[in-house]
Amino acid sequence: MPIEPFLAQFLAVRAVPGLVLGLVAGSFLATVLIRWPKSGSALAGRSRCDSCAAPLDVRDLVPLVSWLAGRGRCRRCGARIDPRHPAMEIAAAMLGLVAAVAHPMPLAAATALFGWWLLLIAALDLEHQWLPDRLTLPLIPLGLAAAWANLGPELPERLAGAAIGWAVLAAIAFLYRRLRGREGMGGGDPKLLAALGAWVGVWLLPMILLGAGLLGLAALLMMRLRGERVARDSRLPLGTLMALAAWPVWLLAAAAARL
């Protein structure tokens, strides 16, 4: 088969569905990100404008397209639409696209779901320094279930990853509190690393921590370049850094397990 028709078929069957499903997922994730910290629900009632609370029509709910058509503003009140909507939609679409291209089904679906889940975790921790148990803890049984479905590392590696992931950060938090007399880490960070270990397995946890550390150094460098104060007590959202580092590690782990 010539390369052009093959590439077109590949894009139509795998890449485009991953992109479209990512846009839909991102629209939902943006709503959760905006409403949940305010004790709102993304599932209750019709979708409404965040500014004037007017119900949105179908033409207002097409991910990214509606935002572009309205030039980023509500069609009724003219208020600026929260930029987190298009940002989350684009990010989730990229995750869906990469998952669809990198892996066959059903591994691609698991990879996309894991990526979208981590995207919400990263955004919540970045904005609110909050890692809800209702997001982190369900990732543990989901990761173990993926092992039963033969997706990614073996079950014993994941069990060890969950246990050691929690123990390592819990021990570091305990020692820091005893030595410095104050909290240096949120209680959700050990739970998140346990959840990540349940997905990638114990042997790849160091890669996640290394990746998170490098991302943290890059963030501090950007802060310095912007003229912001950087000191020994400067805080970074560790959950966000680990979530961002974990998904590429999972991509590699899942691909290696298929070989």
Side-chain angles (χ1 to χ4, degrees):
M1 177 183 294
I3 186 64
E4 292 82 2
F6 175 80
L7 180 60
Q9 183 179 9
F10 177 83
L11 290 174
V13 173
R14 294 180 60 176
V16 172
L19 190 70
V20 172
L21 288 175
L23 287 171
V24 174
S27 179
F28 174 75
L29 294 177
T31 303
V32 174
L33 175 62
I34 293 169
R35 292 185 182 179
W36 195 5
K38 300 176 182 178
S39 299
S41 172
L43 301 176
R46 292 182 57 184
S47 297
R48 297 177 179 274
C49 172
D50 296 325
S51 298
C52 66
L56 301 181
D57 297 332
V58 174
R59 58 178 169 171
D60 301 316
L61 297 174
V62 182
L64 196 58
V65 175
S66 296
W67 181 82
L68 290 172
R71 298 183 179 181
R73 295 189 175 275
C74 174
R75 196 165 46 83
R76 293 169 178 80
C77 67
R80 180 170 174 261
I81 295 174
D82 194 312
R84 287 175 289 183
H85 283 287
M88 293 292 283
E89 289 167 3
I90 292 172
M94 292 301 99
L95 292 174
L97 174 63
V98 173
V101 172
H103 298 312
M105 290 293 290
L107 181 56
T111 299
L113 176 63
F114 187 43
W116 297 332
W117 207 297
L118 291 179
L119 176 61
L120 180 57
I121 287 176
L124 282 171
D125 195 40
L126 179 63
E127 289 193 15
H128 305 284
Q129 294 76 54
W130 183 38
L131 294 173
D133 287 351
R134 282 184 287 176
L135 273 182
T136 55
L137 295 183
L139 276 178
I140 297 177
L142 285 174
L144 301 180
W148 284 108
N150 200 29
L151 303 175
E154 298 293 330
L155 182 61
E157 292 183 36
R158 295 174 189 249
L159 289 170
I164 293 175
W166 178 85
V168 166
L169 287 193
I172 292 174
F174 173 78
L175 291 174
Y176 187 94
R177 185 168 56 251
R178 291 294 299 270
L179 294 174
R180 301 295 296 273
R182 58 187 174 87
E183 296 291 341
M185 183 185 303
D189 293 313
K191 299 173 187 176
L192 176 57
L193 191 58
L196 299 179
W199 277 81
V200 306
V202 64
W203 305 114
L204 293 177
L205 284 179
M207 289 186 63
I208 292 178
L209 294 176
L210 175 61
L214 293 175
L215 289 172
L217 290 175
L220 291 174
L221 177 60
M222 292 298 296
M223 291 169 64
R224 289 292 297 270
L225 292 175
R226 292 198 301 262
E228 299 179 27
R229 175 181 174 272
V230 176
R232 293 177 60 184
D233 58 350
S234 297
R235 297 178 65 91
L236 292 174
L238 179 58
T240 298
L241 300 175
M242 290 193 298
L244 293 177
W247 197 67
V249 172
W250 162 258
L251 281 177
L252 297 176
R258 292 169 50 208
L259 299 178

